[in-house]
Amino acid sequence: MYQYCDLDDCCISLHDCFVEKMDFDNGILSFVFPDGFWIIKKHSQNKSNTTVRTNSSQVDFQIIDEEIDGIEIYVFKGNGKVKTIRENWEPINFITAINNGKFRIEFITQYKNYQSFLFKYWACFDKSPYHLECEIILHSNSVAYRWNKLRYDCIW
């Protein structure tokens, strides 16, 4: 389905990229990026001198033990003053809410460790509260970044 598959992110960035669909099947958590993700200029397929977006793309994480409990999702809610509460969201409910269009997510920051990925992102809504700060922790030992072509008209 995709022409290119990168197995590491040394030349890829998800920063400011939106996910509108997700799937968990056979131990693989998939994020679908309708507007693509970023390919930096040193990638072998990038023929420009700048970072460019791909077309519609997908990122697949192989979850350790292939169980959905290898996915942790937290949402931070506050009263606008001093108190912030971290809520745990069940992964299947989170995936269903995204696929039903209740919100989309915008990736902000990524941290990696041995068999673990931590992403900070915004859950973006069409009405108040408009966005919530969130985290997703993926217990994964492999990731695949899939895409078809670069959009040289869409630069960083």
PDB file of all heavy atoms in Angstrom, residues 125-148:
ATOM      1  N   PHE A 125     -10.198  19.720  19.613  1.00  0.00           N
ATOM      2  CA  PHE A 125     -11.652  19.636  19.491  1.00  0.00           C
ATOM      3  C   PHE A 125     -12.174  20.831  18.695  1.00  0.00           C
ATOM      4  O   PHE A 125     -11.518  21.871  18.610  1.00  0.00           O
ATOM      5  CB  PHE A 125     -12.303  19.658  20.883  1.00  0.00           C
ATOM      6  CG  PHE A 125     -11.814  18.565  21.795  1.00  0.00           C
ATOM      7  CD1 PHE A 125     -10.691  18.754  22.593  1.00  0.00           C
ATOM      8  CD2 PHE A 125     -12.471  17.351  21.860  1.00  0.00           C
ATOM      9  CE1 PHE A 125     -10.238  17.751  23.431  1.00  0.00           C
ATOM     10  CE2 PHE A 125     -12.029  16.344  22.701  1.00  0.00           C
ATOM     11  CZ  PHE A 125     -10.901  16.547  23.488  1.00  0.00           C
ATOM     12  N   ASP A 126     -13.384  20.713  18.157  1.00  0.00           N
ATOM     13  CA  ASP A 126     -14.013  21.811  17.422  1.00  0.00           C
ATOM     14  C   ASP A 126     -14.711  22.809  18.333  1.00  0.00           C
ATOM     15  O   ASP A 126     -15.135  23.862  17.885  1.00  0.00           O
ATOM     16  CB  ASP A 126     -15.029  21.260  16.414  1.00  0.00           C
ATOM     17  CG  ASP A 126     -14.352  20.521  15.273  1.00  0.00           C
ATOM     18  OD1 ASP A 126     -13.184  20.830  14.969  1.00  0.00           O
ATOM     19  OD2 ASP A 126     -14.996  19.629  14.693  1.00  0.00           O
ATOM     20  N   LYS A 127     -14.875  22.467  19.605  1.00  0.00           N
ATOM     21  CA  LYS A 127     -15.513  23.363  20.560  1.00  0.00           C
ATOM     22  C   LYS A 127     -14.742  23.313  21.883  1.00  0.00           C
ATOM     23  O   LYS A 127     -13.821  22.513  22.044  1.00  0.00           O
ATOM     24  CB  LYS A 127     -16.985  22.982  20.758  1.00  0.00           C
ATOM     25  CG  LYS A 127     -17.205  21.561  21.198  1.00  0.00           C
ATOM     26  CD  LYS A 127     -18.678  21.220  21.249  1.00  0.00           C
ATOM     27  CE  LYS A 127     -18.834  19.750  21.632  1.00  0.00           C
ATOM     28  NZ  LYS A 127     -20.207  19.340  21.667  1.00  0.00           N
ATOM     29  N   SER A 128     -15.136  24.150  22.815  1.00  0.00           N
ATOM     30  CA  SER A 128     -14.447  24.229  24.099  1.00  0.00           C
ATOM     31  C   SER A 128     -14.383  22.844  24.744  1.00  0.00           C
ATOM     32  O   SER A 128     -15.366  22.111  24.701  1.00  0.00           O
ATOM     33  CB  SER A 128     -15.197  25.211  25.005  1.00  0.00           C
ATOM     34  OG  SER A 128     -14.501  25.382  26.200  1.00  0.00           O
ATOM     35  N   PRO A 129     -13.211  22.430  25.192  1.00  0.00           N
ATOM     36  CA  PRO A 129     -12.032  23.203  25.564  1.00  0.00           C
ATOM     37  C   PRO A 129     -11.045  23.431  24.416  1.00  0.00           C
ATOM     38  O   PRO A 129      -9.947  23.919  24.634  1.00  0.00           O
ATOM     39  CB  PRO A 129     -11.396  22.348  26.661  1.00  0.00           C
ATOM     40  CG  PRO A 129     -11.702  20.947  26.247  1.00  0.00           C
ATOM     41  CD  PRO A 129     -13.072  21.024  25.631  1.00  0.00           C
ATOM     42  N   TYR A 130     -11.369  23.064  23.183  1.00  0.00           N
ATOM     43  CA  TYR A 130     -10.563  23.234  21.966  1.00  0.00           C
ATOM     44  C   TYR A 130      -9.311  22.366  21.935  1.00  0.00           C
ATOM     45  O   TYR A 130      -8.977  21.819  20.901  1.00  0.00           O
ATOM     46  CB  TYR A 130     -10.235  24.708  21.687  1.00  0.00           C
ATOM     47  CG  TYR A 130     -11.477  25.511  21.449  1.00  0.00           C
ATOM     48  CD1 TYR A 130     -11.945  26.400  22.411  1.00  0.00           C
ATOM     49  CD2 TYR A 130     -12.224  25.351  20.291  1.00  0.00           C
ATOM     50  CE1 TYR A 130     -13.112  27.116  22.218  1.00  0.00           C
ATOM     51  CE2 TYR A 130     -13.403  26.053  20.082  1.00  0.00           C
ATOM     52  CZ  TYR A 130     -13.839  26.933  21.051  1.00  0.00           C
ATOM     53  OH  TYR A 130     -15.001  27.629  20.851  1.00  0.00           O
ATOM     54  N   HIS A 131      -8.593  22.267  23.038  1.00  0.00           N
ATOM     55  CA  HIS A 131      -7.469  21.335  23.076  1.00  0.00           C
ATOM     56  C   HIS A 131      -7.146  20.945  24.518  1.00  0.00           C
ATOM     57  O   HIS A 131      -7.407  21.701  25.452  1.00  0.00           O
ATOM     58  CB  HIS A 131      -6.232  21.914  22.378  1.00  0.00           C
ATOM     59  CG  HIS A 131      -5.612  23.064  23.092  1.00  0.00           C
ATOM     60  ND1 HIS A 131      -6.059  24.348  22.941  1.00  0.00           N
ATOM     61  CD2 HIS A 131      -4.585  23.121  23.974  1.00  0.00           C
ATOM     62  CE1 HIS A 131      -5.326  25.159  23.687  1.00  0.00           C
ATOM     63  NE2 HIS A 131      -4.447  24.438  24.338  1.00  0.00           N
ATOM     64  N   LEU A 132      -6.613  19.740  24.646  1.00  0.00           N
ATOM     65  CA  LEU A 132      -6.138  19.232  25.926  1.00  0.00           C
ATOM     66  C   LEU A 132      -4.741  18.669  25.723  1.00  0.00           C
ATOM     67  O   LEU A 132      -4.460  18.024  24.703  1.00  0.00           O
ATOM     68  CB  LEU A 132      -7.044  18.116  26.458  1.00  0.00           C
ATOM     69  CG  LEU A 132      -8.461  18.499  26.863  1.00  0.00           C
ATOM     70  CD1 LEU A 132      -9.271  17.247  27.180  1.00  0.00           C
ATOM     71  CD2 LEU A 132      -8.447  19.438  28.060  1.00  0.00           C
ATOM     72  N   GLU A 133      -3.878  18.902  26.697  1.00  0.00           N
ATOM     73  CA  GLU A 133      -2.532  18.337  26.653  1.00  0.00           C
ATOM     74  C   GLU A 133      -2.627  16.853  27.012  1.00  0.00           C
ATOM     75  O   GLU A 133      -3.326  16.464  27.943  1.00  0.00           O
ATOM     76  CB  GLU A 133      -1.624  19.056  27.642  1.00  0.00           C
ATOM     77  CG  GLU A 133      -0.202  18.562  27.609  1.00  0.00           C
ATOM     78  CD  GLU A 133       0.692  19.287  28.599  1.00  0.00           C
ATOM     79  OE1 GLU A 133       0.280  20.305  29.157  1.00  0.00           O
ATOM     80  OE2 GLU A 133       1.812  18.786  28.810  1.00  0.00           O
ATOM     81  N   CYS A 134      -1.906  16.022  26.262  1.00  0.00           N
ATOM     82  CA  CYS A 134      -1.977  14.575  26.457  1.00  0.00           C
ATOM     83  C   CYS A 134      -0.603  13.935  26.295  1.00  0.00           C
ATOM     84  O   CYS A 134       0.322  14.551  25.763  1.00  0.00           O
ATOM     85  CB  CYS A 134      -2.906  13.940  25.424  1.00  0.00           C
ATOM     86  SG  CYS A 134      -4.538  14.674  25.306  1.00  0.00           S
ATOM     87  N   GLU A 135      -0.522  12.691  26.751  1.00  0.00           N
ATOM     88  CA  GLU A 135       0.668  11.867  26.551  1.00  0.00           C
ATOM     89  C   GLU A 135       0.226  10.469  26.163  1.00  0.00           C
ATOM     90  O   GLU A 135      -0.802   9.986  26.617  1.00  0.00           O
ATOM     91  CB  GLU A 135       1.490  11.740  27.841  1.00  0.00           C
ATOM     92  CG  GLU A 135       2.147  12.980  28.302  1.00  0.00           C
ATOM     93  CD  GLU A 135       2.932  12.780  29.587  1.00  0.00           C
ATOM     94  OE1 GLU A 135       2.768  11.755  30.278  1.00  0.00           O
ATOM     95  OE2 GLU A 135       3.717  13.675  29.911  1.00  0.00           O
ATOM     96  N   ILE A 136       1.024   9.846  25.328  1.00  0.00           N
ATOM     97  CA  ILE A 136       0.818   8.435  25.016  1.00  0.00           C
ATOM     98  C   ILE A 136       2.165   7.750  25.158  1.00  0.00           C
ATOM     99  O   ILE A 136       3.191   8.246  24.673  1.00  0.00           O
ATOM    100  CB  ILE A 136       0.201   8.222  23.615  1.00  0.00           C
ATOM    101  CG1 ILE A 136      -0.151   6.758  23.391  1.00  0.00           C
ATOM    102  CG2 ILE A 136       1.099   8.743  22.528  1.00  0.00           C
ATOM    103  CD1 ILE A 136      -1.032   6.498  22.187  1.00  0.00           C
ATOM    104  N   ILE A 137       2.167   6.654  25.891  1.00  0.00           N
ATOM    105  CA  ILE A 137       3.369   5.848  26.079  1.00  0.00           C
ATOM    106  C   ILE A 137       3.127   4.526  25.372  1.00  0.00           C
ATOM    107  O   ILE A 137       2.132   3.839  25.641  1.00  0.00           O
ATOM    108  CB  ILE A 137       3.669   5.624  27.573  1.00  0.00           C
ATOM    109  CG1 ILE A 137       3.884   6.968  28.274  1.00  0.00           C
ATOM    110  CG2 ILE A 137       4.891   4.708  27.742  1.00  0.00           C
ATOM    111  CD1 ILE A 137       3.899   6.881  29.781  1.00  0.00           C
ATOM    112  N   LEU A 138       4.019   4.196  24.465  1.00  0.00           N
ATOM    113  CA  LEU A 138       3.913   2.965  23.696  1.00  0.00           C
ATOM    114  C   LEU A 138       5.068   2.055  24.056  1.00  0.00           C
ATOM    115  O   LEU A 138       6.234   2.437  23.909  1.00  0.00           O
ATOM    116  CB  LEU A 138       3.942   3.264  22.201  1.00  0.00           C
ATOM    117  CG  LEU A 138       2.914   4.273  21.699  1.00  0.00           C
ATOM    118  CD1 LEU A 138       3.134   4.575  20.234  1.00  0.00           C
ATOM    119  CD2 LEU A 138       1.513   3.759  21.951  1.00  0.00           C
ATOM    120  N   HIS A 139       4.752   0.871  24.530  1.00  0.00           N
ATOM    121  CA  HIS A 139       5.768  -0.133  24.819  1.00  0.00           C
ATOM    122  C   HIS A 139       5.941  -0.939  23.537  1.00  0.00           C
ATOM    123  O   HIS A 139       5.134  -1.817  23.222  1.00  0.00           O
ATOM    124  CB  HIS A 139       5.341  -0.988  26.013  1.00  0.00           C
ATOM    125  CG  HIS A 139       5.114  -0.167  27.237  1.00  0.00           C
ATOM    126  ND1 HIS A 139       6.149   0.288  28.023  1.00  0.00           N
ATOM    127  CD2 HIS A 139       3.991   0.341  27.776  1.00  0.00           C
ATOM    128  CE1 HIS A 139       5.674   1.008  29.017  1.00  0.00           C
ATOM    129  NE2 HIS A 139       4.361   1.071  28.888  1.00  0.00           N
ATOM    130  N   SER A 140       6.972  -0.564  22.792  1.00  0.00           N
ATOM    131  CA  SER A 140       7.151  -1.071  21.436  1.00  0.00           C
ATOM    132  C   SER A 140       8.616  -1.362  21.175  1.00  0.00           C
ATOM    133  O   SER A 140       9.499  -0.661  21.673  1.00  0.00           O
ATOM    134  CB  SER A 140       6.643  -0.030  20.437  1.00  0.00           C
ATOM    135  OG  SER A 140       6.929  -0.403  19.120  1.00  0.00           O
ATOM    136  N   ASN A 141       8.853  -2.388  20.369  1.00  0.00           N
ATOM    137  CA  ASN A 141      10.230  -2.691  20.000  1.00  0.00           C
ATOM    138  C   ASN A 141      10.522  -2.399  18.538  1.00  0.00           C
ATOM    139  O   ASN A 141      11.641  -2.563  18.089  1.00  0.00           O
ATOM    140  CB  ASN A 141      10.563  -4.153  20.328  1.00  0.00           C
ATOM    141  CG  ASN A 141       9.557  -5.118  19.744  1.00  0.00           C
ATOM    142  OD1 ASN A 141       8.770  -4.766  18.881  1.00  0.00           O
ATOM    143  ND2 ASN A 141       9.577  -6.336  20.236  1.00  0.00           N
ATOM    144  N   SER A 142       9.504  -1.948  17.795  1.00  0.00           N
ATOM    145  CA  SER A 142       9.763  -1.564  16.411  1.00  0.00           C
ATOM    146  C   SER A 142       8.684  -0.616  15.912  1.00  0.00           C
ATOM    147  O   SER A 142       7.554  -0.624  16.390  1.00  0.00           O
ATOM    148  CB  SER A 142       9.837  -2.797  15.497  1.00  0.00           C
ATOM    149  OG  SER A 142       8.576  -3.410  15.392  1.00  0.00           O
ATOM    150  N   VAL A 143       9.088   0.204  14.944  1.00  0.00           N
ATOM    151  CA  VAL A 143       8.179   1.178  14.352  1.00  0.00           C
ATOM    152  C   VAL A 143       8.465   1.242  12.856  1.00  0.00           C
ATOM    153  O   VAL A 143       9.608   1.058  12.419  1.00  0.00           O
ATOM    154  CB  VAL A 143       8.321   2.568  15.028  1.00  0.00           C
ATOM    155  CG1 VAL A 143       9.726   3.108  14.878  1.00  0.00           C
ATOM    156  CG2 VAL A 143       7.297   3.554  14.499  1.00  0.00           C
ATOM    157  N   ALA A 144       7.419   1.475  12.080  1.00  0.00           N
ATOM    158  CA  ALA A 144       7.556   1.622  10.621  1.00  0.00           C
ATOM    159  C   ALA A 144       6.831   2.892  10.192  1.00  0.00           C
ATOM    160  O   ALA A 144       5.659   3.078  10.513  1.00  0.00           O
ATOM    161  CB  ALA A 144       6.984   0.412   9.899  1.00  0.00           C
ATOM    162  N   TYR A 145       7.554   3.765   9.491  1.00  0.00           N
ATOM    163  CA  TYR A 145       7.012   5.015   8.955  1.00  0.00           C
ATOM    164  C   TYR A 145       6.751   4.787   7.476  1.00  0.00           C
ATOM    165  O   TYR A 145       7.683   4.578   6.704  1.00  0.00           O
ATOM    166  CB  TYR A 145       8.007   6.153   9.164  1.00  0.00           C
ATOM    167  CG  TYR A 145       8.311   6.416  10.620  1.00  0.00           C
ATOM    168  CD1 TYR A 145       9.298   5.697  11.289  1.00  0.00           C
ATOM    169  CD2 TYR A 145       7.598   7.371  11.331  1.00  0.00           C
ATOM    170  CE1 TYR A 145       9.562   5.919  12.626  1.00  0.00           C
ATOM    171  CE2 TYR A 145       7.867   7.612  12.672  1.00  0.00           C
ATOM    172  CZ  TYR A 145       8.850   6.882  13.312  1.00  0.00           C
ATOM    173  OH  TYR A 145       9.100   7.110  14.650  1.00  0.00           O
ATOM    174  N   ARG A 146       5.490   4.842   7.062  1.00  0.00           N
ATOM    175  CA  ARG A 146       5.099   4.473   5.690  1.00  0.00           C
ATOM    176  C   ARG A 146       4.534   5.691   4.944  1.00  0.00           C
ATOM    177  O   ARG A 146       3.719   6.422   5.493  1.00  0.00           O
ATOM    178  CB  ARG A 146       4.057   3.362   5.739  1.00  0.00           C
ATOM    179  CG  ARG A 146       4.525   2.146   6.505  1.00  0.00           C
ATOM    180  CD  ARG A 146       3.426   1.085   6.599  1.00  0.00           C
ATOM    181  NE  ARG A 146       3.748   0.034   7.537  1.00  0.00           N
ATOM    182  CZ  ARG A 146       4.606  -0.946   7.323  1.00  0.00           C
ATOM    183  NH1 ARG A 146       5.244  -1.024   6.171  1.00  0.00           N
ATOM    184  NH2 ARG A 146       4.831  -1.855   8.243  1.00  0.00           N
ATOM    185  N   TRP A 147       4.965   5.835   3.696  1.00  0.00           N
ATOM    186  CA  TRP A 147       4.529   6.969   2.883  1.00  0.00           C
ATOM    187  C   TRP A 147       4.777   6.667   1.412  1.00  0.00           C
ATOM    188  O   TRP A 147       5.486   5.723   1.075  1.00  0.00           O
ATOM    189  CB  TRP A 147       5.236   8.243   3.321  1.00  0.00           C
ATOM    190  CG  TRP A 147       6.735   8.132   3.412  1.00  0.00           C
ATOM    191  CD1 TRP A 147       7.462   7.517   4.402  1.00  0.00           C
ATOM    192  CD2 TRP A 147       7.690   8.608   2.478  1.00  0.00           C
ATOM    193  NE1 TRP A 147       8.802   7.605   4.123  1.00  0.00           N
ATOM    194  CE2 TRP A 147       8.976   8.273   2.955  1.00  0.00           C
ATOM    195  CE3 TRP A 147       7.584   9.296   1.273  1.00  0.00           C
ATOM    196  CZ2 TRP A 147      10.138   8.595   2.283  1.00  0.00           C
ATOM    197  CZ3 TRP A 147       8.749   9.636   0.594  1.00  0.00           C
ATOM    198  CH2 TRP A 147       9.998   9.287   1.117  1.00  0.00           C
ATOM    199  N   ASN A 148       4.164   7.492   0.537  1.00  0.00           N
ATOM    200  CA  ASN A 148       4.292   7.260  -0.904  1.00  0.00           C
ATOM    201  C   ASN A 148       5.114   8.314  -1.635  1.00  0.00           C
ATOM    202  O   ASN A 148       5.925   7.982  -2.479  1.00  0.00           O
ATOM    203  CB  ASN A 148       2.916   7.160  -1.568  1.00  0.00           C
ATOM    204  CG  ASN A 148       2.273   5.821  -1.306  1.00  0.00           C
ATOM    205  OD1 ASN A 148       2.941   4.796  -1.280  1.00  0.00           O
ATOM    206  ND2 ASN A 148       0.975   5.827  -1.085  1.00  0.00           N
TER     207      ASN A 148
END
